[in-house]
Amino acid sequence: MNEAHEEFAIGDFEKHCEVRGFSLTGMQIDQFVRYAHGLQKWNDRVNLTAIVDFGGILLKHFVDCLELIPVMQSLSGVEGLTVGPLLDFGTGAGFPGLVLKLAIPDLSVTLCDSLRKRTDFLEHVVDDLALSDVTVIHGRAEELASHREYREQFLQVVARAVARLSVLAELAGPLVDVGGFFHAMKGPSPETEMDDARIAMERVGFSHTVVNRYSLPLNAGDHTVVSLYKDRHTSNRFPRKMGDAQRSPLV
Ligand code: SAM
C-alpha cells in the first residue's frame, strides 16, 4: 500500500523544519539523510524500526522527535537552542536523542539503551557523522543512577516509547538535575497514565506536569509530550532494584 508518508521527501522535511522555526544547514540535512540511509541498511540485519521507507523515517521518526525542541525551549525559558545536557534512555535507534543532536549541534547528548545491537548502530552513526559530545551507553537507566557522573546530572531527560509513565518517572527522577525536566513522548491520550504516575512522580521529586499536544503533517498521528518538572533531590532509595519499577510500579 502506498501510504501518504512515503511521499514525504527531503524537501518537505526541510520546509517543515523551517516553518517550525529550526532551519537546518545543508550539512545538517546531509547528516539526516545519511542517518536515514544507515537505519535502512542496518535494519536489514538488526531490528531497529518497523518504519523502513525513507519518507516514513523522515516524517514519523525525525519530524516527530523534533517536536521536543519547542517544548524544551519554552519550558526552560532558553532563547537559543542549547538546552542540555540531555539524556535519552531507551533510545533504540536514536529516537529522539540523536535526532535532537543533529538539529542542535551544540547539545551534549547521552544515549542509553539496554540492547547491544542498538547501541552498536548508534556508535556507527556517531562515527559516520563525526559527531562530538555524544556518549553512547549500553546499559539500563536503573544502573546509570548509581553512578555519580550520571546521577542528577541532566537538565533534560527524554524517553519515547519505552514504558508507562509510572515506570518512566521512577527511572528518570534520579537522573534529572534539580530544576530540570523529564519529557515522555506519548500518544494522543496520556491522561490515564498520568493519573497512575502521580505517586511515583511525587516520590522521586517531580512537582508538576505540563502536556503539549501536536499533530504530524499528512495526518500521520496526534501525539503528546508529557513534561515533568523536578524541584527537589531524589532520595537514594530510588531507583529501586533492577526491574522493580517495571514489576511493581509505585501506584
Ligand atoms: N525510543 C526509541 C523509539 O522511539 O523508537 C526506541 C523505542 S523501543 C520500543 C524501547 C527501547 O527501550 C528498546 O530499544 C529497549 O532496549 C529499551 N529499554 C527498555 N527498558 C530500558 C531501560 N530500563 N533502560 C534502557 N533501555 C531500555
Side-chain angles (χ1 to χ4, degrees):
M1 198 175 68
N2 187 25
E3 297 233 20
H5 59 72
E6 288 183 10
E7 285 152 25
F8 195 77
I10 194 68
D12 300 318
F13 176 65
E14 216 173 328
K15 249 184 255 152
H16 173 84
C17 291
E18 231 171 87
V19 171
R20 295 296 287 124
F22 22 90
S23 34
L24 305 172
T25 63
M27 187 182 133
Q28 285 171 300
I29 295 287
D30 286 349
Q31 288 181 323
F32 275 111
V33 171
R34 280 184 83 91
Y35 179 20
H37 285 158
L39 192 56
Q40 287 176 309
K41 199 162 158 203
W42 276 60
N43 211 48
D44 287 343
R45 56 194 163 88
V46 174
N47 175 21
L48 295 169
T49 170
I51 299 165
V52 292
D53 64 288
F54 187 70
I57 292 171
L58 296 181
L59 180 60
K60 294 192 155 186
H61 283 315
F62 295 173
V63 166
D64 187 49
C65 293
L66 289 173
E67 282 299 323
L68 266 176
I69 294 179
V71 172
M72 291 191 298
Q73 283 179 324
S74 69
L75 290 174
S76 307
V78 176
E79 285 294 316
L81 283 176
T82 306
V83 289
L86 178 145
L87 166 73
D88 177 12
F89 68 89
T91 186
F95 306 132
L98 194 48
V99 172
L100 297 172
K101 174 66 186 176
L102 296 191
I104 312 172
D106 290 346
L107 189 62
S108 165
V109 171
T110 301
L111 306 170
C112 162
D113 200 278
S114 53
L115 266 190
R116 166 74 74 189
K117 59 186 182 173
R118 295 192 172 137
T119 56
D120 284 349
F121 169 70
L122 296 173
E123 275 163 3
H124 159 79
V125 179
V126 170
D127 275 359
D128 186 44
L129 302 181
L131 301 176
S132 57
D133 217 357
V134 180
T135 306
V136 176
I137 298 171
H138 168 232
R140 299 188 65 88
E142 299 90 310
E143 296 164 322
L144 289 189
S146 60
H147 295 272
R148 197 177 297 178
E149 70 215 273
Y150 302 121
R151 193 172 181 92
E152 297 194 320
Q153 293 302 309
F154 299 95
L155 269 181
Q156 317 282 341
V157 174
V158 298
R160 177 180 183 250
V162 178
R164 292 181 62 75
L165 195 60
S166 51
V167 174
L168 294 176
E170 180 174 349
L171 300 185
L175 297 161
V176 180
D177 199 357
V178 175
F181 287 90
F182 169 59
H183 309 277
M185 301 192 78
K186 290 285 171 190
S189 311
E191 291 75 17
T192 309
E193 277 192 50
M194 286 167 58
D195 283 347
D196 291 348
R198 284 197 200 291
I199 292 174
M201 282 166 47
E202 203 272 321
R203 296 274 296 276
V204 298
F206 290 118
S207 62
H208 64 271
T209 312
V210 180
V211 180
N212 277 281
R213 298 176 188 280
Y214 63 95
S215 299
L216 293 178
L218 303 178
N219 293 322
D222 298 325
H223 298 179
T224 53
V225 178
V226 180
S227 303
L228 313 182
Y229 176 70
K230 185 168 161 185
D231 71 345
R232 58 194 186 282
H233 288 290
T234 303
S235 153
N236 283 333
R237 283 181 291 128
F238 297 107
R240 291 173 291 161
K241 272 199 332 288
M242 182 105 74
D244 278 5
Q246 292 85 341
R247 272 191 301 270
S248 49
L250 299 164
V251 288

